[in-house]
Structure formats: structure tokens, C-alpha cells
């Protein structure tokens, strides 16, 4: 009798799992309203800025970067982004026709929702950078090498489908660079 009861529980469990899988697979062809998309994204760590409500579509998980001397140097005019972060956050959101070697025009938003036009580009075939509006962003936020840490999200603008970045910063009293360990790939 107990064996029969255990089989029934297993059957009910499989029925529930099958129902959930069927429900999830139906999402593949579902077109969501902007409101529904925002509700679903509430479970993802996305920027909470009132002026960006309704703009954030597909969004990466955030990543952090400690600013270096070259990131805040007005003669360099660019923010370098780690290759692993680009692979994890940016590349999954790129469209087939977007070419990082030629450069992609992007909009970068700060914590107040202010927009900075920039270009995301693979520079010298080895370094991913945000450039052309970066120094203005840097100056507006009085960013400092080694003390400021950026948190970056990459997202698609829901109405236009353009690639965008959202950047916040926090300042620590640390004046030395934090060394990242290089992983052997």
C-alpha cells in the first residue's frame, strides 16, 4: 500500500514538473507588453532609476570595475572594460549586424538618468572601450583612479532596441589598485 502511495506522489510530481515545463516552453513565442517585461525583470538586478522606467529591455547582470589611471586620463579618453565582462554582459546582447571593431553607438546613463552618447569599440584589436563621451562622464562625476568603483549594466533600450549602458559609482578610501588574478583559459 505504501509503495502504491509513493508512485502516486511521483506521478503527481511529474505532472507538476511537466506542467511547469510546458508553461515555460510556451514563453518562447510570447510577446510581452513593456509592463509585463518590467515585472519579469524585477527578479533581475536591474537599475532602479525613475527616468529609465519603460526603457530597460533585455539586461545583463551588473559587473564592477575599479578605475585605473588610464580610465580617468583626459588624453586617453576611454574606459577600458575587462574581456570577461564583455563576453558575459555585452556579447549576449549584441545583434548580428553590430560590429565592435567598427564601433557601436551607445547611450550611457548615470544614476540620475542623464544620457551620455558614447561608442563601444574593440580598440587596437585587443581592448574593449567606451569612448567619445567618457571624459565628460568622468568629469561630471569627478571620478578618481583607484578610489572609484563602477557598477555597469548593459541593456537594450525597449522602444528603440539600441544598446545602452547604465553606470553608477562608489568611492572607497583605497588608493591602491586591486590586482585581479588572471585565470588560465
Amino acid at each position: 500500500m505504501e509503495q502504491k502511495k509513493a508512485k502516486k506522489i511521483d506521478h503527481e510530481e511529474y505532472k507538476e514538473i511537466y506542467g511547469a515545463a510546458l508553461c515555460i516552453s510556451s514563453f518562447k513565442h510570447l510577446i510581452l507588453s513593456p509592463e509585463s517585461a518590467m515585472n519579469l525583470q524585477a527578479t533581475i538586478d536591474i537599475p532602479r532609476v525613475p527616468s529609465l522606467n519603460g526603457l530597460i529591455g533585455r539586461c545583463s547582470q551588473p559587473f564592477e570595475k575599479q578605475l585605473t589611471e588610464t580610465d580617468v586620463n583626459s588624453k586617453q579618453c576611454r574606459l577600458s572594460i575587462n574581456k570577461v565582462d564583455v563576453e558575459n554582459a555585452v556579447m549576449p546582447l549584441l545583434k548580428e549586424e553590430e560590429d565592435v571593431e567598427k564601433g557601436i553607438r551607445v547611450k550611457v546613463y548615470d544614476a540620475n538618468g542623464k544620457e551620455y552618447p558614447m561608442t563601444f569599440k574593440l580598440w587596437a584589436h585587443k581592448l574593449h572601450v567606451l569612448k567619445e563621451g567618457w571624459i565628460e562622464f568622468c568629469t561630471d562625476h569627478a571620478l578618481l583612479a583607484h578610489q572609484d568603483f563602477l557598477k555597469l549594466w548593459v541593456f537594450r533600450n525597449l522602444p528603440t532596441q539600441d544598446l545602452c549602458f547604465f553606470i553608477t559609482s562608489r568611492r572607497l578610501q583605497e588608493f591602491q589598485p586591486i590586482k585581479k588574478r588572471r585565470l588560465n583559459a
Side-chain angles (χ1 to χ4, degrees):
M1 183 109 168
E2 283 186 37
Q3 194 174 26
K4 201 172 192 180
K5 188 175 182 182
K7 283 184 180 180
K8 184 174 183 179
I9 291 171
D10 287 342
H11 175 72
E12 289 301 316
E13 188 176 348
Y14 284 124
K15 189 176 174 182
E16 186 176 328
I17 291 169
Y18 176 77
L22 183 62
C23 182
I24 289 170
S25 68
S26 69
F27 290 160
K28 180 178 178 182
H29 301 287
L30 183 66
I31 298 173
L32 297 176
S33 69
E35 296 82 22
S36 296
M38 292 302 293
N39 289 336
L40 280 175
Q41 284 195 339
T43 60
I44 300 172
D45 182 8
I46 60 170
R48 307 276 187 240
V49 178
S51 62
L52 297 182
N53 284 349
L55 290 184
I56 299 175
R58 288 181 50 216
C59 185
S60 73
Q61 287 297 318
F63 59 94
E64 287 198 331
K65 177 192 176 25
Q66 181 183 27
L67 291 176
T68 64
E69 294 289 343
T70 57
D71 290 328
V72 297
N73 184 331
S74 61
K75 293 181 176 126
Q76 296 278 337
C77 299
R78 54 96 178 132
L79 170 69
S80 64
I81 301 175
N82 181 298
K83 181 180 178 181
V84 172
D85 292 326
V86 169
E87 289 171 356
N88 292 332
V90 181
M91 294 306 192
L93 294 176
L94 291 184
K95 295 178 183 174
E96 193 174 308
E97 65 271 12
E98 292 174 325
D99 186 349
V100 291
E101 289 189 19
K102 290 181 181 175
I104 302 166
R105 297 293 300 153
V106 299
K107 291 178 183 169
V108 176
Y109 297 91
D110 69 8
N112 297 316
K114 183 176 178 185
E115 183 182 305
Y116 297 82
M118 295 187 202
T119 300
F120 176 70
K121 184 175 177 117
L122 180 61
W123 210 17
H125 301 286
K126 62 180 180 176
L127 186 66
H128 291 90
V129 297
L130 278 173
K131 53 184 261 171
E132 292 169 0
W134 171 247
I135 291 303
E136 180 186 351
F137 186 98
C138 211
T139 303
D140 284 358
H141 297 88
L143 297 175
L144 300 171
H146 311 302
Q147 284 184 267
D148 287 321
F149 290 75
L150 303 181
K151 190 171 186 179
L152 297 93
W153 287 262
V154 184
F155 67 94
R156 284 282 170 191
N157 180 301
L158 204 52
T160 66
Q161 288 303 302
D162 291 338
L163 190 66
C164 301
F165 286 75
F166 177 78
I167 301 177
T168 61
S169 66
R170 62 186 170 92
R171 180 161 292 164
L172 299 179
Q173 295 308 313
E174 174 64 42
F175 289 92
Q176 296 299 315
I178 294 174
K179 302 217 185 262
K180 283 193 174 182
R181 290 184 306 158
R182 296 214 181 257
L183 302 176
N184 295 333

